[in-house]
């Protein structure tokens, strides 16, 4: 094989990376971070209401349902869908094109972390598009139906365990990222400043709370599979409400709710000043 043929894939990858490094994608991805901020803040507010005796759905679809109402609701949902799709595309380029020069170990870790976010943000974009066309989904109902349909097949329990393990792993990733402050390189603009200390605290609390919420969701998937009870898999809303059945559950729920709001505020700052 000639040198020219060998270098052709690398040349194509360089060209694709250059195409992905555009102002348009940068702007859309930043808007996607802002969308995430709004969703997390709304989920946190609903969770606080539930902790103090109120009602609501502490999950993405519950938050989006509040935004989808009104004349401008569909347009808002389309804009949010585009932002999340752009963020998913940016994460895809992060996990493939930009990661290809990293050492093998770091490349694999980046592929797993950013690849998981591609799926999450892509799913959110589809959910928002469904809201835009008036087909409002319910996250908890979808999770139960998915678990029930999977467990009706011979290998379904294994599939549900894999899904639960994946969600659990993503949750652990966020907790570790928060505790180790691995998010700092994303916001180099505020390093060694008083504002940086506040943003650091928001990042730690926010990432740990988001990770804890995902760990709860993953555990419910595992419980549903191991006990052969699909109804136990209730998504984020069900997992947070289930905390109230345990000692100090309300306090834990409040802590997670406040943490999700902190994550939302951090995501706003990330949208404006973060590295892209």
């Amino acid at each position: 094989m000639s040198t020219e043929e060998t270098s052709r894939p690398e040349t194509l990858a360089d060209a694709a990376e250059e195409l992905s490094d555009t102002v348009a994608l940068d702007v859309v991805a930043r808007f996607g971070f802002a969308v995430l901020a709004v969703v997390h803040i709304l989920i946190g507010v609903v969770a606080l209401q539930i902790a103090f005796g109120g009602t609501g759905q502490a999950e993405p679809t519950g938050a989006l349902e509040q935004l989808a109402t009104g004349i401008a609701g569909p347009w808002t949902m389309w804009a949010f869908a585009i932002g999340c799709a752009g963020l998913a595309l940016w994460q895809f380029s992060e996990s493939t094109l930009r990661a290809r020069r990293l050492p093998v170990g770091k490349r694999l870790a980046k592929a797993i972390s950013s690849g998981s976010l591609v799926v999450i943000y892509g799913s959110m974009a589809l959910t928002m598009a469904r809201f835009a066309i008036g087909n409002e989904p319910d996250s908890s109902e979808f999770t139960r139906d998915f678990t029930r349909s999977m467990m009706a097949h011979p290998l379904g329990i294994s599939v549900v365990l894999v899904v639960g393990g994946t969600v659990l792993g993503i949750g652990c990733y966020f907790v570790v990222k928060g505790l180790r402050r691995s998010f700092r390189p994303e916001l180099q603009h505020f390093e060694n400043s008083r504002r940086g200390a506040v943003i650091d605290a928001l990042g730690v609390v926010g990432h740990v709370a988001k990770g804890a919420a995902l760990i709860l969701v993953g555990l419910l998937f595992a419980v549903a599979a191991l006990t052969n009870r699909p109804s136990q898999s209730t998504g984020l809303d069900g997992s947070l409400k289930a905390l109230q059945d345990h000692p100090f559950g309300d306090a834990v729920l409040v802590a997670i709710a406040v943490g999700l709001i902190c994550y939302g505020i951090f995501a706003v700052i990330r949208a404006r000043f973060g590295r892209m």
Side-chain angles (χ1 to χ4, degrees):
M1 184 178 291
S2 66
T3 304
E4 182 179 350
E5 291 175 332
T6 303
S7 61
R8 188 173 299 166
E10 187 68 22
T11 303
L12 291 174
D14 289 338
E17 182 177 354
E18 188 174 344
L19 284 174
S20 70
D21 191 21
T22 61
V23 175
L25 182 57
D26 182 278
V27 171
V28 174
R30 287 183 185 278
F31 178 65
F33 276 116
V35 171
L36 292 181
V38 172
V39 172
H40 281 83
I41 290 172
L42 287 175
I43 293 174
V45 169
V46 173
L48 277 178
Q49 292 174 347
I50 293 171
F52 291 102
T55 59
Q57 289 184 300
E59 58 187 2
T61 54
L64 294 174
E65 188 175 4
Q66 300 180 42
L67 298 172
T69 57
I71 299 176
W75 295 104
T76 301
M77 289 297 98
W78 279 123
F80 278 21
I82 292 171
C84 282
L87 189 53
L89 181 59
W90 179 77
Q91 287 287 359
F92 178 75
S93 67
E94 282 281 291
S95 65
T96 55
L97 299 172
R98 294 185 177 89
R100 71 186 195 278
R101 298 186 184 89
L102 296 174
V104 176
K106 291 185 177 180
R107 191 189 315 163
L108 179 60
K110 189 65 177 175
I112 294 173
S113 60
S114 291
S116 300
L117 294 177
V118 171
V119 176
I120 292 173
Y121 299 151
S123 299
M124 289 185 66
L126 290 174
T127 299
M128 291 167 182
R130 290 181 62 183
F131 269 99
I133 62 177
N135 181 14
E136 300 181 0
D138 184 302
S139 296
S140 296
E141 184 178 342
F142 172 81
T143 303
R144 283 192 296 268
D145 290 345
F146 167 80
T147 306
R148 187 177 295 110
S149 62
M150 285 294 101
M151 292 177 65
H153 298 282
L155 297 177
I157 292 179
S158 299
V159 173
V160 174
L161 282 174
V162 169
V163 172
T166 301
V167 176
L168 191 64
I170 295 172
C172 291
Y173 163 76
F174 272 97
V175 170
V176 172
K177 183 177 181 180
L179 294 177
R180 297 182 63 180
R181 294 171 171 78
S182 303
F183 54 81
R184 281 178 171 174
E186 300 170 3
L187 284 167
Q188 294 176 342
H189 184 78
F190 292 101
E191 279 187 342
N192 302 320
S193 69
R194 189 170 298 177
R195 289 182 180 178
V198 174
I199 295 170
D200 213 36
L202 288 171
V204 172
V205 174
H207 281 82
V208 170
K210 181 179 175 69
L214 289 172
I215 288 172
L216 288 174
V217 175
L219 287 175
L220 287 185
F221 269 114
V223 169
L226 295 174
T227 61
N228 199 23
R229 296 169 62 188
S231 60
Q232 294 295 310
S233 180
T234 54
L236 179 59
D237 180 64
S239 64
L240 292 179
K241 288 177 179 176
L243 289 173
Q244 296 179 297
D245 298 330
H246 301 278
F248 307 106
D250 284 331
V252 175
L253 179 56
V254 169
I256 292 178
V258 172
L260 290 174
I261 294 173
C262 288
Y263 184 86
I265 298 171
F266 176 86
V268 171
I269 300 169
R270 174 75 173 85
R272 175 63 180 86
F273 299 104
R275 177 193 64 80
M276 300 297 290

